[in-house]
Amino acid sequence: MQTSVLLENLMQALQCLPGVGPKSSQRMAFHLLQRDRRGGLNLANVLSQAMDEIGHCIDCNTFTESTQCHICASVKRQSNKTLCIVETPADIHAIEQTGQFSGRYFVLMGHLSPLDGIGPKELGLDKLAKRLIEEEITEVILATNPTIEGEVTANYIAQICLECDVTASRIAHGIPVGGDLEMVDSTTLSHSFVGRTKILNN
Amino acid sequence: MQTSVLLENLMQALQCLPGVGPKSSQRMAFHLLQRDRRGGLNLANVLSQAMDEIGHCIDCNTFTESTQCHICASVKRQSNKTLCIVETPADIHAIEQTGQFSGRYFVLMGHLSPLDGIGPKELGLDKLAKRLIEEEITEVILATNPTIEGEVTANYIAQICLECDVTASRIAHGIPVGGDLEMVDSTTLSHSFVGRTKILNN
């Protein structure tokens, strides 16, 4: 028997979060009710605002509540004529944390997948081609996922770059830093041999 | 660089949930924005409603949005003169799932902890004593946690029951069903010897 319908609803609603099942949702609901009602209310407000207001950046497609995201709007970023192509906004987050890249991004919001009806138009590749020419981009870094679909998408965009006379490069595949060579799968290992770089050049 | 302040706020706010750190909150935020905005909005509504409206049952202290929870309001439950004492509303949830108990509950919302200023009054034990007499309770089942504080609290309440002339019982401690005897800690194992029950009585 339930003690409260609203509590059951809360447990149910929490399960829309990835990785949250019946047990975790119960733990979360009781935690919020017993110890952190203010945090729960704050989460409710921010969540409702975010779901309503966050749309896509007019230039790069990433999530933002403004017309243009902070990165696209940055004058310093605009002076760098490199464009990095990623599949999702989460990838931008990951790349930004490295501090390695100071150009701008273009988010595909997916990858080419003809069976699911996702073609070049759905990924906004016409918009991308326009940007390449209009903004005088000098290099496109293809940072799509290292999956079959990601590779196909990267190759397709490389073709567009060729037509627009823009250099296209792919991020390196190889063994992860700190990884154990014998634990790395053979495809990755063979990629690391193909993509080897010279050291101590004389 | 952030692409959106609201997105950062959402990731921050999600971390009020137990077991959710920076990585999971990022995954949750992107999941909701990309795939389940309706679920996110629903969660926001239910959460805000639950935090505002869920209070405590006037009889048993558990969480409910009504004055009296469903269990306390049930006529069938009221006819059973057994009262089960638990520390938190989550414990009721766990006991209800067993289907073993058909009486009513009393939630302490904690345990005796003089160092933290939690005494009998804070746990509502005066209210409990009143209930024992007024509702003609015949048995009190002490289902506080098997910790030092839980045991102390159980013993304290057993004293109150003695004064009110009500039978008090403690749920059994022993080896968990399906457990491996050699893996069970020695305190639990010794409890299981002390609390042994006779089988095949002639």
Short mmCIF file of all heavy atoms in Angstrom, two decimals, chain A residues 3-31:
data_model
loop_
_atom_site.label_atom_id
_atom_site.label_comp_id
_atom_site.label_asym_id
_atom_site.label_seq_id
_atom_site.Cartn_x
_atom_site.Cartn_y
_atom_site.Cartn_z
N THR A 3 1.78 5.19 0.75
CA THR A 3 1.41 6.18 1.77
C THR A 3 1.02 7.48 1.11
O THR A 3 0.36 8.31 1.71
CB THR A 3 2.56 6.43 2.76
OG1 THR A 3 3.70 6.89 2.02
CG2 THR A 3 2.91 5.17 3.52
N SER A 4 1.47 7.71 -0.14
CA SER A 4 1.22 8.99 -0.80
C SER A 4 1.29 8.83 -2.31
O SER A 4 2.25 8.27 -2.84
CB SER A 4 2.25 10.00 -0.31
OG SER A 4 2.49 10.99 -1.26
N VAL A 5 0.27 9.32 -3.02
CA VAL A 5 0.24 9.23 -4.48
C VAL A 5 1.31 10.13 -5.08
O VAL A 5 2.02 9.77 -6.02
CB VAL A 5 -1.15 9.63 -5.02
CG1 VAL A 5 -1.18 9.60 -6.53
CG2 VAL A 5 -2.22 8.72 -4.46
N LEU A 6 1.46 11.31 -4.50
CA LEU A 6 2.42 12.29 -5.01
C LEU A 6 3.84 11.74 -4.92
O LEU A 6 4.66 11.93 -5.83
CB LEU A 6 2.27 13.58 -4.20
CG LEU A 6 2.83 14.87 -4.78
CD1 LEU A 6 2.44 15.04 -6.23
CD2 LEU A 6 2.35 16.06 -3.98
N LEU A 7 4.11 11.04 -3.82
CA LEU A 7 5.43 10.44 -3.64
C LEU A 7 5.69 9.38 -4.70
O LEU A 7 6.78 9.31 -5.28
CB LEU A 7 5.50 9.82 -2.24
CG LEU A 7 6.82 9.23 -1.77
CD1 LEU A 7 7.93 10.26 -1.79
CD2 LEU A 7 6.70 8.66 -0.36
N GLU A 8 4.67 8.56 -4.99
CA GLU A 8 4.80 7.55 -6.05
C GLU A 8 5.05 8.23 -7.39
O GLU A 8 5.87 7.77 -8.18
CB GLU A 8 3.52 6.71 -6.14
CG GLU A 8 3.33 5.73 -5.00
CD GLU A 8 4.33 4.59 -5.01
OE1 GLU A 8 4.66 4.10 -6.10
OE2 GLU A 8 4.80 4.20 -3.92
N ASN A 9 4.31 9.32 -7.64
CA ASN A 9 4.49 10.05 -8.90
C ASN A 9 5.91 10.59 -9.02
O ASN A 9 6.51 10.55 -10.09
CB ASN A 9 3.52 11.24 -8.97
CG ASN A 9 2.10 10.79 -9.18
OD1 ASN A 9 1.86 9.62 -9.46
ND2 ASN A 9 1.16 11.70 -9.03
N LEU A 10 6.43 11.09 -7.90
CA LEU A 10 7.79 11.65 -7.91
C LEU A 10 8.80 10.55 -8.25
O LEU A 10 9.69 10.74 -9.08
CB LEU A 10 8.10 12.27 -6.54
CG LEU A 10 9.51 12.83 -6.36
CD1 LEU A 10 9.82 13.89 -7.40
CD2 LEU A 10 9.69 13.42 -4.97
N MET A 11 8.64 9.38 -7.61
CA MET A 11 9.55 8.27 -7.88
C MET A 11 9.48 7.87 -9.36
O MET A 11 10.48 7.56 -9.99
CB MET A 11 9.19 7.07 -7.02
CG MET A 11 9.53 7.27 -5.56
SD MET A 11 9.10 5.79 -4.61
CE MET A 11 9.17 6.43 -2.95
N GLN A 12 8.26 7.88 -9.90
CA GLN A 12 8.06 7.52 -11.31
C GLN A 12 8.73 8.56 -12.22
O GLN A 12 9.46 8.20 -13.16
CB GLN A 12 6.55 7.48 -11.59
CG GLN A 12 6.15 6.64 -12.78
CD GLN A 12 6.47 5.18 -12.58
OE1 GLN A 12 6.14 4.61 -11.56
NE2 GLN A 12 7.13 4.57 -13.56
N ALA A 13 8.50 9.83 -11.88
CA ALA A 13 9.03 10.91 -12.73
C ALA A 13 10.55 10.92 -12.74
O ALA A 13 11.18 11.21 -13.77
CB ALA A 13 8.49 12.26 -12.26
N LEU A 14 11.16 10.58 -11.60
CA LEU A 14 12.62 10.60 -11.51
C LEU A 14 13.26 9.55 -12.43
O LEU A 14 14.42 9.66 -12.80
CB LEU A 14 13.07 10.36 -10.06
CG LEU A 14 13.02 11.57 -9.13
CD1 LEU A 14 13.11 11.13 -7.68
CD2 LEU A 14 14.15 12.54 -9.44
N GLN A 15 12.46 8.54 -12.81
CA GLN A 15 13.00 7.48 -13.65
C GLN A 15 13.19 7.90 -15.10
O GLN A 15 13.65 7.10 -15.93
CB GLN A 15 12.14 6.22 -13.54
CG GLN A 15 12.27 5.60 -12.16
CD GLN A 15 11.43 4.35 -11.99
OE1 GLN A 15 11.31 3.54 -12.89
NE2 GLN A 15 10.85 4.18 -10.82
N CYS A 16 12.82 9.15 -15.44
CA CYS A 16 13.13 9.64 -16.79
C CYS A 16 14.62 9.96 -16.89
O CYS A 16 15.15 10.11 -17.98
CB CYS A 16 12.29 10.85 -17.14
SG CYS A 16 12.81 12.35 -16.31
N LEU A 17 15.31 10.06 -15.76
CA LEU A 17 16.75 10.33 -15.78
C LEU A 17 17.51 9.06 -16.17
O LEU A 17 17.15 7.97 -15.72
CB LEU A 17 17.22 10.81 -14.40
CG LEU A 17 16.60 12.12 -13.90
CD1 LEU A 17 16.98 12.36 -12.45
CD2 LEU A 17 17.07 13.28 -14.75
N PRO A 18 18.54 9.19 -17.01
CA PRO A 18 19.26 7.99 -17.42
C PRO A 18 19.98 7.34 -16.25
O PRO A 18 20.56 8.03 -15.41
CB PRO A 18 20.27 8.52 -18.45
CG PRO A 18 20.43 9.95 -18.12
CD PRO A 18 19.13 10.42 -17.56
N GLY A 19 19.91 6.03 -16.16
CA GLY A 19 20.60 5.30 -15.10
C GLY A 19 19.85 5.29 -13.78
O GLY A 19 20.37 4.83 -12.77
N VAL A 20 18.62 5.80 -13.77
CA VAL A 20 17.83 5.83 -12.52
C VAL A 20 16.67 4.83 -12.64
O VAL A 20 15.80 4.99 -13.49
CB VAL A 20 17.31 7.25 -12.23
CG1 VAL A 20 16.42 7.23 -11.01
CG2 VAL A 20 18.46 8.20 -12.03
N GLY A 21 16.70 3.80 -11.82
CA GLY A 21 15.64 2.79 -11.80
C GLY A 21 14.78 2.95 -10.56
O GLY A 21 14.87 3.97 -9.87
N PRO A 22 13.94 1.95 -10.25
CA PRO A 22 13.03 2.07 -9.09
C PRO A 22 13.76 2.33 -7.77
O PRO A 22 13.34 3.18 -6.99
CB PRO A 22 12.33 0.72 -9.07
CG PRO A 22 12.45 0.19 -10.44
CD PRO A 22 13.75 0.70 -10.98
N LYS A 23 14.87 1.61 -7.53
CA LYS A 23 15.58 1.75 -6.24
C LYS A 23 16.22 3.12 -6.08
O LYS A 23 16.10 3.75 -5.03
CB LYS A 23 16.66 0.65 -6.12
CG LYS A 23 16.13 -0.66 -5.59
CD LYS A 23 15.99 -0.64 -4.06
CE LYS A 23 15.21 -1.85 -3.58
NZ LYS A 23 14.74 -1.71 -2.21
N SER A 24 16.92 3.59 -7.14
CA SER A 24 17.58 4.91 -7.02
C SER A 24 16.55 6.01 -6.93
O SER A 24 16.76 6.99 -6.21
CB SER A 24 18.48 5.19 -8.22
OG SER A 24 18.93 4.06 -8.83
N SER A 25 15.43 5.88 -7.68
CA SER A 25 14.45 6.95 -7.66
C SER A 25 13.83 7.07 -6.27
O SER A 25 13.56 8.16 -5.79
CB SER A 25 13.37 6.72 -8.71
OG SER A 25 12.53 5.67 -8.34
N GLN A 26 13.66 5.90 -5.61
CA GLN A 26 13.13 5.90 -4.24
C GLN A 26 14.11 6.62 -3.30
O GLN A 26 13.72 7.48 -2.51
CB GLN A 26 12.94 4.46 -3.79
CG GLN A 26 12.30 4.33 -2.42
CD GLN A 26 12.27 2.88 -1.96
OE1 GLN A 26 12.07 1.96 -2.75
NE2 GLN A 26 12.49 2.67 -0.68
N ARG A 27 15.40 6.26 -3.46
CA ARG A 27 16.43 6.88 -2.63
C ARG A 27 16.47 8.38 -2.84
O ARG A 27 16.57 9.17 -1.89
CB ARG A 27 17.79 6.24 -2.99
CG ARG A 27 18.89 6.66 -2.09
CD ARG A 27 20.14 5.80 -2.31
NE ARG A 27 21.32 6.54 -1.99
CZ ARG A 27 22.33 6.76 -2.83
NH1 ARG A 27 22.29 6.27 -4.05
NH2 ARG A 27 23.39 7.44 -2.46
N MET A 28 16.37 8.80 -4.11
CA MET A 28 16.42 10.23 -4.43
C MET A 28 15.23 10.97 -3.84
O MET A 28 15.38 12.02 -3.23
CB MET A 28 16.41 10.41 -5.96
CG MET A 28 17.72 10.05 -6.61
SD MET A 28 17.59 10.11 -8.41
CE MET A 28 19.33 9.89 -8.84
N ALA A 29 14.02 10.38 -4.02
CA ALA A 29 12.81 11.04 -3.53
C ALA A 29 12.88 11.23 -2.02
O ALA A 29 12.64 12.32 -1.51
CB ALA A 29 11.58 10.22 -3.91
N PHE A 30 13.25 10.16 -1.29
CA PHE A 30 13.31 10.26 0.17
C PHE A 30 14.41 11.21 0.61
O PHE A 30 14.24 11.95 1.58
CB PHE A 30 13.48 8.88 0.81
CG PHE A 30 12.21 8.09 0.84
CD1 PHE A 30 12.11 6.86 0.22
CD2 PHE A 30 11.09 8.58 1.49
CE1 PHE A 30 10.93 6.13 0.24
CE2 PHE A 30 9.90 7.86 1.53
CZ PHE A 30 9.82 6.64 0.90
N HIS A 31 15.53 11.20 -0.10
CA HIS A 31 16.63 12.11 0.26
C HIS A 31 16.17 13.56 0.15
O HIS A 31 16.38 14.36 1.06
CB HIS A 31 17.83 11.87 -0.65
CG HIS A 31 18.92 12.89 -0.48
ND1 HIS A 31 19.91 12.77 0.46
CD2 HIS A 31 19.14 14.07 -1.11
CE1 HIS A 31 20.71 13.83 0.40
NE2 HIS A 31 20.26 14.63 -0.55
#
